[in-house]
Amino acid sequence: MKAVFEEINGDLAVFIVDDAQKPYFISASDLPAETTTGDVFEVEIEADEKLKLLKKLPEERKRREQSAKSKREALLKRSQNKKE
């Protein structure tokens, strides 16, 4: 399962887990060094509903950023075509 690091809120790091209905939180002090907003991690949700970070997925972050960029460009192009 994959999760995106969204933000620090107080002393908690907020993660959005793919296909989950709620955000998950871990202590900000438990974040790996060099973690930045938007990083994607392989995660596991343990039986007690705690989020366990398994490994950082830098290539997944790049893939998601490229996908979002392509979608924005397509929307912009479609919007410009409607104006013409």
Side-chain angles (χ1 to χ4, degrees), residues 59-72:
E59 292 303 314
E60 177 67 11
R61 178 183 177 146
K62 290 176 188 174
R63 187 194 67 74
R64 289 179 185 216
E65 287 173 342
Q66 183 58 45
S67 176
K69 180 181 177 184
S70 296
K71 288 177 184 177
R72 284 190 305 272

Side-chain angles (χ1 to χ4, degrees), residues 14-70:
V14 181
F15 284 83
I16 304 300
V17 178
D18 290 353
D19 301 321
Q21 300 296 317
K22 63 177 187 172
Y24 284 82
F25 306 90
I26 66 168
S27 174
S29 63
D30 290 337
L31 283 175
E34 309 292 323
T35 299
T36 59
T37 302
D39 283 347
V40 180
F41 288 84
E42 183 71 31
V43 298
E44 182 178 286
I45 298 174
E46 298 177 328
D48 58 0
E49 288 292 306
K50 288 187 179 177
L51 189 69
K52 180 179 180 182
L53 302 181
L54 301 176
K55 68 178 179 176
K56 195 180 207 181
L57 303 170
E59 292 303 314
E60 177 67 11
R61 178 183 177 146
K62 290 176 188 174
R63 187 194 67 74
R64 289 179 185 216
E65 287 173 342
Q66 183 58 45
S67 176
K69 180 181 177 184
S70 296

